[in-house]
Structure formats: C-alpha cells, structure tokens
Amino acid sequence: MNRFFFYTVCFALFLSSCGIRGIEGPERPVYFTADDIVFTDSLDKKPHILFHGKYWIDYPCMNTVNLQKGIEAKAYISGPTIFRMDQVPFLVYPGDRIHVVTNPDKNWEATFFSKRKDKRRNAELQVLKRFYQLEKSPELVRLLEYSYQDILDLETRLKTEIIPARIASRQLLDSLSAAYKVGRKFKRATKNYLTDAYNYKVLSLYWLYRDTLLKREVFFSKVREFLPAINNLNKKVRLDANSGGFIGSVNTALYPSMGVSSMVRQNLFETCFDTLTTTFKGPARDLLLTRLMYHAILFEYEVPEDYVSRYKEYSLHPAYRRILKRARKLYGSGQQDNQAASSVVLY
C-alpha cells in the first residue's frame, strides 16, 4: 500500500473516531477540567461554560458545559468557537484541552490554560479576557430622573462616541494580538468579533429607556433604523458571533411577543415566518428563517409544505439547509444525547 495513502486513511479514521456528525457537520470534542478552587465559589455552586454553535442557529439558546470536580467535561464544536465563563470570553478550537482556574482575590475571575502546555495557545486564551479588561467603550447611563430630551441627548452622545471607540477597540485587539504573538488562525477567527458590539450599545440604550420611548411612540421606529444596514449585508457574508446575536436582538425588539418559543408553541409559525420575510432581507432573513425552521423541528411542529418551499426559495446559505436536514435526522431518532453539551434555553 502507498505510504501516503496509508497515513491518509489512518488520519481519517483517527478523526472519525474522535468526532461526531453533529448539527453543523463534522464536530470534534473539546475537553475541560477545573481546579478544586473553581468549585468553592459561593456565587456559582455549579460552575459552567456557555457557547453558541458556529452558525448561531441555536440562538437565543446556548449550549452549556457543566464542570464537575475531578471529571473531564466535554463539548463538541465544528470550528473555532468563543466560549464564556462568567462573561469572560476565550477562543477554543476543536481538539483543545482547557484547564480552568479562578482567583478568589479577584472576584473569582476565571483564567484558562492549555493542558497541552502550548505557549501560543496559553497566550491566545488570555487575549479576549485582557481586551475586555482594557477596552474603554462608551458606557450606558441609567438616569433615575430624566426627561425625554435627556434620553435623546444620551443617544446623540453615544452615537458620537461609537465611531472613535470602535476604531480604538480594533487597534487594541490588534495590539494585544501582536503582543501575545497569536497565530494566523486566531486572527482570522477574531477578525469580525467586534463587528456589531457597538450597535448593541445603542440597542441596549433603547431597551433601557423602553417604557418612555414606547409612550412617545418612537421605540419601534428607532429600532427599525438598524434595518437598512442589516438588510444591505453582502449575500456571501456568514453571520456569527456578535452579528448573529445582534440581528436576533433587533428582531426580538421589534416583535417582543413573537420569540422563537411562542412562534412555534402558540401556532404563530406562519405569522412569524411572514413577518420575517417582509422585515428582513438577504443573509439576515436567511439566518432568522433558518432559526425558526430549526426550532420548529426541535418542538416537533409540522411545517406546512408551502412554507418549506418558500424557505428553500429564500435560502442563500447551503450550510443552513444541511443543518436543518441533519436536525431532522438527529432529533427524529432520539439521538439528542449524543453530545455532552446540553442546551440551555434563554427565552
């Protein structure tokens, strides 16, 4: 047998034996262990780590990895994925083995290390945490007493601060990447990490003063101001990280009574599908419709055939269609427990 062919076959068998065929395609495990000190944190009796899938189809749900004393926990991912523990983010690759420690002297702040004693990976695991420690982004101001004009002034100031703050944040991330000597793979995976982080700021301001803005009948019009940018996204763009979450948040703000759960469980599927197709376009519509179809499968809702056909007409991303196909097979055969990372629904 040709030596190259032999090693290729062996390598393929190795990968197939270590991974699974998940919703998003081939997935490999990432392993987590934790120091005993992690389990003494009085604020979190059951320490856990949260993450979204590569394509953010499960939004607003998140996957959780429950850490257990003396036991190696496991999750499956299909590519570079941002995990969070107590709001501290870190980038993980399939096959990683991560060890978690916390510092009781710093409010139980989490730190992550590669068990493979890889210096570059140890450095990369600190970058996003350090970024959030140093970043000086515009702060949301919560006024106890205020007028409508005060809210408008806060909005104007926030929008004015966002552009230079976004530039400064990008420069900071680039500087940290250089200082920590991260690899090209890390740079590619975090390139668009800040894309919509600052749009969240403005949307959060509207939510903070939502009652007043609703009384003035301007809340929904202000949220709709995000739509042109969302609907003009390039058709080839892949929505993930902040972009996928931000689009979901805009949809929730516009239609608070039509969350994914109620869309299906309260027989509002058709209404919500129609609403999404008239409100959103391009990649955003594709993402939101796929989320709706995905949750319909989870809730065992029988989607009308004409809506299946309409979804196929709107669908731009082949990966989304493959995800739905796999979801039907996975959840239709009682194999949900194949993955160690269970789902946490955050409606």
Side-chain angles (χ1 to χ4, degrees):
M1 179 184 292
N2 180 280
R3 180 176 295 181
F4 175 79
F5 178 76
F6 172 79
Y7 286 128
T8 300
V9 171
C10 290
F11 183 67
L13 290 173
F14 169 76
L15 289 181
S16 63
S17 65
C18 294
I20 64 170
R21 188 74 174 178
I23 293 297
E24 297 179 346
E27 297 180 343
R28 291 180 59 204
V30 53
Y31 303 90
F32 297 92
T33 55
D35 269 359
D36 288 351
I37 190 73
V38 172
F39 302 95
T40 64
D41 181 358
S42 60
L43 299 178
D44 189 0
K45 294 299 183 182
K46 296 181 179 180
H48 58 277
I49 301 171
L50 299 172
F51 70 101
H52 280 289
K54 178 180 178 181
Y55 293 102
W56 278 59
I57 299 299
D58 50 0
Y59 180 91
C61 306
M62 292 190 77
N63 296 308
T64 181
V65 181
N66 294 310
L67 299 177
Q68 299 182 56
K69 195 171 183 178
I71 300 176
E72 189 173 58
K74 181 168 56 176
Y76 286 88
I77 56 176
S78 58
T81 303
I82 292 176
F83 284 66
R84 284 182 174 83
M85 182 173 178
D86 296 331
Q87 302 306 312
V88 178
F90 57 106
L91 184 71
V92 174
Y93 303 132
D96 265 342
R97 290 182 179 273
I98 308 297
H99 188 64
V100 184
V101 301
T102 55
N103 188 342
D105 296 328
K106 292 187 177 181
N107 198 30
W108 300 95
E109 178 185 276
T111 305
F112 313 96
F113 298 95
S114 170
K115 292 189 68 176
R116 301 184 191 281
K117 297 181 179 180
D118 185 326
K119 291 183 178 180
R120 171 171 284 179
R121 283 299 293 132
N122 278 336
E124 291 176 345
L125 288 167
Q126 313 309 317
V127 171
L128 293 180
K129 172 184 174 180
R130 188 64 177 149
F131 170 79
Y132 278 107
Q133 290 174 335
L134 296 174
E135 184 194 27
K136 296 180 180 179
S137 62
E139 295 184 4
L140 294 179
V141 179
R142 176 56 168 168
L143 301 175
L144 297 180
E145 296 183 4
Y146 56 88
S147 65
Y148 176 56
Q149 185 59 48
D150 289 331
I151 299 175
L152 298 181
D153 291 342
L154 289 175
E155 177 189 29
T156 300
R157 190 177 80 183
L158 184 60
K159 288 183 176 180
T160 302
E161 294 174 346
I162 275 178
I163 294 177
R166 182 188 283 118
I167 295 173
S169 292
R170 172 56 63 189
Q171 292 173 340
L172 173 61
L173 188 58
D174 289 342
S175 176
L176 287 172
S177 296
Y180 282 82
K181 299 179 181 179
V182 304
R184 292 181 180 179
K185 187 177 180 181
F186 182 91
K187 289 181 180 179
R188 287 197 301 268
T190 58
K191 182 179 179 180
N192 296 318
Y193 184 64
L194 300 174
T195 302
D196 287 284
Y198 285 95
N199 284 333
Y200 266 118
K201 292 280 186 179
V202 179
L203 182 60
S204 297
L205 179 72
Y206 297 155
W207 272 109
L208 192 59
Y209 296 98
R210 184 172 181 270
D211 290 344
T212 301
L213 295 177
L214 283 173
K215 289 179 181 178
R216 290 280 181 158
E217 299 182 346
V218 297
F219 176 78
F220 294 111
S221 62
K222 286 187 174 296
V223 174
R224 292 185 73 87
E225 290 176 2
F226 292 112
L227 290 179
I230 289 175
N231 288 336
N232 286 329
L233 289 170
N234 186 293
K235 290 184 178 180
K236 294 182 180 180
V237 71
R238 194 197 80 198
L239 300 172
D240 55 12
N242 286 324
S243 58
F246 175 68
I247 290 171
S249 296
V250 168
N251 180 49
T252 300
L254 289 175
Y255 310 109
S257 63
M258 293 195 292
V260 170
S261 179
S262 60
M263 284 181 181
V264 178
R265 289 176 176 166
Q266 297 178 22
N267 295 320
L268 292 175
F269 177 90
E270 290 86 349
T271 300
C272 295
F273 189 103
D274 294 340
T275 300
L276 292 176
T277 58
T278 56
T279 304
F280 297 94
K281 298 178 181 179
R285 179 175 60 192
D286 194 10
L287 173 69
L288 293 172
L289 288 179
T290 304
R291 285 177 179 168
L292 179 60
M293 298 288 284
Y294 176 75
H295 283 82
I297 294 170
L298 293 184
F299 296 139
E300 299 181 345
Y301 178 85
E302 189 67 33
V303 178
E305 190 59 39
D306 58 327
Y307 279 86
V308 174
S309 299
R310 288 178 61 191
Y311 170 77
K312 292 178 180 178
E313 291 176 6
Y314 287 125
S315 180
L316 301 172
H317 204 319
Y320 289 168
R321 296 192 291 274
R322 289 194 292 268
I323 287 172
L324 295 183
K325 184 177 181 180
R326 295 182 192 119
R328 293 188 190 96
K329 291 182 179 179
L330 180 64
Y331 297 113
S333 57
Q335 298 177 5
Q336 297 96 314
D337 296 329
N338 277 356
Q339 300 189 39
S342 60
S343 179
V344 176
V345 182
L346 303 178
Y347 294 122

